[in-house]
Amino acid sequence: MAHTTSQDPLLTWPKKYNEIPKAVFEMEELWPKELETIFYGEEWHPIVHRAEIPNPGDYKAAELGEMPIFAVHGEDGVIRVFQNTCTHRGTSLITESSGNKKELECPYHRWLFNLQGDLVGCPNSRDYSPSFDKKDFGLAKLRVEEFCGLFFVTMSDKTPPLKEYLGESFYEPLSRVLGGDGRLKLIGYQKVMYDCNWKAYCDNDGYHAPLLHKAFALLNWQGGKGVQNVSENGHLSFESELKIPDDITALEDGSILDFKGTETSTGSIVQMQFPVTVYSKHMDMLNIRYAFPKGPKGIEVHYAYFSHEDDDEEMVAHRIRQSSNLLGPCGLISMEDASVFSRIDKGNKTPGNAIFQKGVEDEHVLSFTVKQNDESGNLPRWEHYRKRMGFERSES
Amino acid sequence: MSTVSSEIISQIEQLNREYISALDSLDMTAWLNCFNKKGQYNFISEENHRRNLPIAFMLDDCYKRLQDRVTQVVDIQADSTEHYQTRHFTQLMSVEALDNGQYQAEFNYSIYYTRRDSNQTQILCVGRYMDVIEIAENAVNFIKRKAVTDTNVLPRYIAYPV
Ligand code: FES
Ligand SMILES: [Fe+2]
């Protein structure tokens, strides 16, 4: 097995900016390094929206890389994120994906933690080691920042502040995905495993949408004006008008596609935050896609859907109906993406490079100017990945 | 269950057999025919169902939506789906009489799928059907079939109703 030193890189990167080595989707040896430099490195990862754990004691389990963590709503109203491990000898504390607890008790030796993470009880502590001090054994807390009710974590002290990290061209549309002001209500999840490397999952582009998704053509659904904003650290934000025809002949019930809109809406926003998170707002669907790579193969995606606190009953019902049927692993306008993820993975077990074309004006220059239906918007993300991983570009 | 005759039970079991054989042979017209004009179909995770979160994997809340489900499978997404063969196994757990010739039934189900590209068989999902069935003069139909799946994380995208 290859080992990593700067003299002996796992992978050499092609010279041209629009070429990605197919091996990057297949080499299992990359995973430990990706954990270290990306998932445990200087990146922010969204874990929970306040709407998912609205009351004191509510918790939600998650993973960061391979590390189990959980978010909990404290008695003091503060949301914190902890490693999911007892500070005595490591028993996991949370065993369900979500729930409500008054306190966190480890069953093994009954150490007891409050919702703020402090160790408040430990039986027979008179017999503990001389240096033991309760205060040193609170739950291990992660660095957290909030934006519009969404809580992000990072393992590094060096990660820039969240807003700076996302940049305005990313967080401004994100605020609209999050209802404008973050006053959301959870309406449910769709969870699924996709059979591909995590990088194949988040390599979806602006070129494919009208071509892969037959629903767009069948519904005579023309893309309106739109933009793609890319950032140097690999975030990508699409925004476009939606022009849905008044008369949808391909469907018996066209109301599923109604865009009731709100003051803060453009028709369609899709955002990909490095490394693995997608946010989207199509018509009246407000969606966060939390994603959890399961090692080098397989990625578990949790689509979380929201309504807004100000919605009337009719709007909530509409959002539920639309979200259940259009996005997600069975959705009318999205199921094909899932199919492509696993086919990309299969097809890339072949030699050579995957070569991007649409929107590439000069193969030797990394461009940040991207048109709505270009695939070149993914190239800054790949460049960011390459740098994080320390891969050298080949000379020729 | 005691108040429901064995004739009714066998009619309900027959409807269920028609439903699962429609899906296992991917005959979406036959699937649609299992519902009457009041028909509704819902495929939802056990987690959402238990927590009263209404988001489903598929939510067809009127007959037109059922028709559009057929269009989605047959016309819109036919060529992008990596086809898989399903096999549904069900067991009737309970039947109760409601008013107006309607019955509430519950079946357990487990669904296997075999991928055409690998020929390997795996579990697609496991759960229960919570049904409302209407028995009229010459017709036995679902007016509601709700497939609640214990498999909260689906093992793959799902192209066909379950
Ligand atoms: S491991 Fe938790 S109390 Fe001992
Ligand atoms: Fe897509």
PDB file of all heavy atoms in Angstrom, chain A residues 86 88-91 106 108-111, ligand 1:
ATOM      1  N   CYS A  86     -18.780   9.320  26.275  1.00  0.00           N
ATOM      2  CA  CYS A  86     -18.644   9.569  27.708  1.00  0.00           C
ATOM      3  C   CYS A  86     -17.187   9.870  28.016  1.00  0.00           C
ATOM      4  O   CYS A  86     -16.284   9.212  27.504  1.00  0.00           O
ATOM      5  CB  CYS A  86     -19.121   8.342  28.474  1.00  0.00           C
ATOM      6  SG  CYS A  86     -18.841   8.439  30.246  1.00  0.00           S
ATOM      7  N   HIS A  88     -15.598   9.325  30.616  1.00  0.00           N
ATOM      8  CA  HIS A  88     -14.928   8.327  31.445  1.00  0.00           C
ATOM      9  C   HIS A  88     -14.162   7.375  30.539  1.00  0.00           C
ATOM     10  O   HIS A  88     -13.015   7.579  30.246  1.00  0.00           O
ATOM     11  CB  HIS A  88     -15.949   7.605  32.342  1.00  0.00           C
ATOM     12  CG  HIS A  88     -15.340   6.511  33.175  1.00  0.00           C
ATOM     13  ND1 HIS A  88     -15.996   5.350  33.480  1.00  0.00           N
ATOM     14  CD2 HIS A  88     -14.114   6.428  33.756  1.00  0.00           C
ATOM     15  CE1 HIS A  88     -15.206   4.586  34.227  1.00  0.00           C
ATOM     16  NE2 HIS A  88     -14.054   5.210  34.417  1.00  0.00           N
ATOM     17  N   ARG A  89     -14.837   6.375  29.969  1.00  0.00           N
ATOM     18  CA  ARG A  89     -14.079   5.461  29.125  1.00  0.00           C
ATOM     19  C   ARG A  89     -14.682   5.298  27.737  1.00  0.00           C
ATOM     20  O   ARG A  89     -14.413   4.336  27.031  1.00  0.00           O
ATOM     21  CB  ARG A  89     -13.894   4.122  29.823  1.00  0.00           C
ATOM     22  CG  ARG A  89     -12.655   4.172  30.763  1.00  0.00           C
ATOM     23  CD  ARG A  89     -12.547   2.987  31.687  1.00  0.00           C
ATOM     24  NE  ARG A  89     -12.812   1.737  31.022  1.00  0.00           N
ATOM     25  CZ  ARG A  89     -13.345   0.662  31.632  1.00  0.00           C
ATOM     26  NH1 ARG A  89     -13.650   0.709  32.915  1.00  0.00           N
ATOM     27  NH2 ARG A  89     -13.577  -0.434  30.956  1.00  0.00           N
ATOM     28  N   GLY A  90     -15.549   6.232  27.339  1.00  0.00           N
ATOM     29  CA  GLY A  90     -15.860   6.326  25.916  1.00  0.00           C
ATOM     30  C   GLY A  90     -17.168   5.735  25.435  1.00  0.00           C
ATOM     31  O   GLY A  90     -17.433   5.742  24.232  1.00  0.00           O
ATOM     32  N   THR A  91     -18.026   5.245  26.337  1.00  0.00           N
ATOM     33  CA  THR A  91     -19.321   4.727  25.884  1.00  0.00           C
ATOM     34  C   THR A  91     -20.102   5.830  25.158  1.00  0.00           C
ATOM     35  O   THR A  91     -20.092   6.975  25.594  1.00  0.00           O
ATOM     36  CB  THR A  91     -20.141   4.260  27.107  1.00  0.00           C
ATOM     37  OG1 THR A  91     -19.333   3.362  27.853  1.00  0.00           O
ATOM     38  CG2 THR A  91     -21.436   3.580  26.692  1.00  0.00           C
ATOM     39  N   CYS A 106     -24.578   8.157  31.300  1.00  0.00           N
ATOM     40  CA  CYS A 106     -23.898   7.012  30.707  1.00  0.00           C
ATOM     41  C   CYS A 106     -24.296   5.774  31.508  1.00  0.00           C
ATOM     42  O   CYS A 106     -24.200   5.771  32.732  1.00  0.00           O
ATOM     43  CB  CYS A 106     -22.391   7.218  30.764  1.00  0.00           C
ATOM     44  SG  CYS A 106     -21.487   5.794  30.115  1.00  0.00           S
ATOM     45  N   TYR A 108     -22.886   2.900  31.745  1.00  0.00           N
ATOM     46  CA  TYR A 108     -21.831   1.958  32.144  1.00  0.00           C
ATOM     47  C   TYR A 108     -21.470   2.121  33.624  1.00  0.00           C
ATOM     48  O   TYR A 108     -21.598   1.204  34.426  1.00  0.00           O
ATOM     49  CB  TYR A 108     -20.621   2.174  31.233  1.00  0.00           C
ATOM     50  CG  TYR A 108     -19.631   1.026  31.176  1.00  0.00           C
ATOM     51  CD1 TYR A 108     -19.819  -0.161  31.903  1.00  0.00           C
ATOM     52  CD2 TYR A 108     -18.493   1.129  30.377  1.00  0.00           C
ATOM     53  CE1 TYR A 108     -18.902  -1.199  31.832  1.00  0.00           C
ATOM     54  CE2 TYR A 108     -17.575   0.090  30.302  1.00  0.00           C
ATOM     55  CZ  TYR A 108     -17.775  -1.066  31.032  1.00  0.00           C
ATOM     56  OH  TYR A 108     -16.864  -2.082  30.947  1.00  0.00           O
ATOM     57  N   HIS A 109     -21.022   3.362  34.005  1.00  0.00           N
ATOM     58  CA  HIS A 109     -20.707   3.586  35.418  1.00  0.00           C
ATOM     59  C   HIS A 109     -21.486   4.782  35.955  1.00  0.00           C
ATOM     60  O   HIS A 109     -21.117   5.400  36.933  1.00  0.00           O
ATOM     61  CB  HIS A 109     -19.201   3.807  35.597  1.00  0.00           C
ATOM     62  CG  HIS A 109     -18.353   2.800  34.880  1.00  0.00           C
ATOM     63  ND1 HIS A 109     -17.865   3.011  33.603  1.00  0.00           N
ATOM     64  CD2 HIS A 109     -17.962   1.548  35.220  1.00  0.00           C
ATOM     65  CE1 HIS A 109     -17.192   1.950  33.206  1.00  0.00           C
ATOM     66  NE2 HIS A 109     -17.235   1.035  34.151  1.00  0.00           N
ATOM     67  N   ARG A 110     -22.568   5.100  35.210  1.00  0.00           N
ATOM     68  CA  ARG A 110     -23.536   6.116  35.662  1.00  0.00           C
ATOM     69  C   ARG A 110     -22.959   7.516  35.828  1.00  0.00           C
ATOM     70  O   ARG A 110     -23.399   8.261  36.707  1.00  0.00           O
ATOM     71  CB  ARG A 110     -24.214   5.671  36.977  1.00  0.00           C
ATOM     72  CG  ARG A 110     -24.949   4.351  36.880  1.00  0.00           C
ATOM     73  CD  ARG A 110     -26.184   4.449  36.033  1.00  0.00           C
ATOM     74  NE  ARG A 110     -26.657   3.105  35.677  1.00  0.00           N
ATOM     75  CZ  ARG A 110     -27.571   2.859  34.733  1.00  0.00           C
ATOM     76  NH1 ARG A 110     -28.115   3.865  34.069  1.00  0.00           N
ATOM     77  NH2 ARG A 110     -27.938   1.648  34.440  1.00  0.00           N
ATOM     78  N   TRP A 111     -21.963   7.881  35.031  1.00  0.00           N
ATOM     79  CA  TRP A 111     -21.593   9.287  35.017  1.00  0.00           C
ATOM     80  C   TRP A 111     -22.751  10.082  34.416  1.00  0.00           C
ATOM     81  O   TRP A 111     -23.397   9.623  33.457  1.00  0.00           O
ATOM     82  CB  TRP A 111     -20.306   9.510  34.203  1.00  0.00           C
ATOM     83  CG  TRP A 111     -19.057   9.122  34.937  1.00  0.00           C
ATOM     84  CD1 TRP A 111     -18.957   8.198  35.946  1.00  0.00           C
ATOM     85  CD2 TRP A 111     -17.742   9.648  34.717  1.00  0.00           C
ATOM     86  NE1 TRP A 111     -17.655   8.106  36.360  1.00  0.00           N
ATOM     87  CE2 TRP A 111     -16.876   8.984  35.633  1.00  0.00           C
ATOM     88  CE3 TRP A 111     -17.202  10.602  33.865  1.00  0.00           C
ATOM     89  CZ2 TRP A 111     -15.511   9.250  35.690  1.00  0.00           C
ATOM     90  CZ3 TRP A 111     -15.846  10.867  33.919  1.00  0.00           C
ATOM     91  CH2 TRP A 111     -15.001  10.209  34.838  1.00  0.00           C
TER      92      TRP A 111
HETATM   93  S1  FES C   1     -17.820   4.819  30.391  1.00  0.00           S
HETATM   94 FE1  FES C   1     -19.344   6.213  30.900  1.00  0.00          FE
HETATM   95  S2  FES C   1     -19.460   6.067  33.039  1.00  0.00           S
HETATM   96 FE2  FES C   1     -17.837   4.751  32.534  1.00  0.00          FE
END
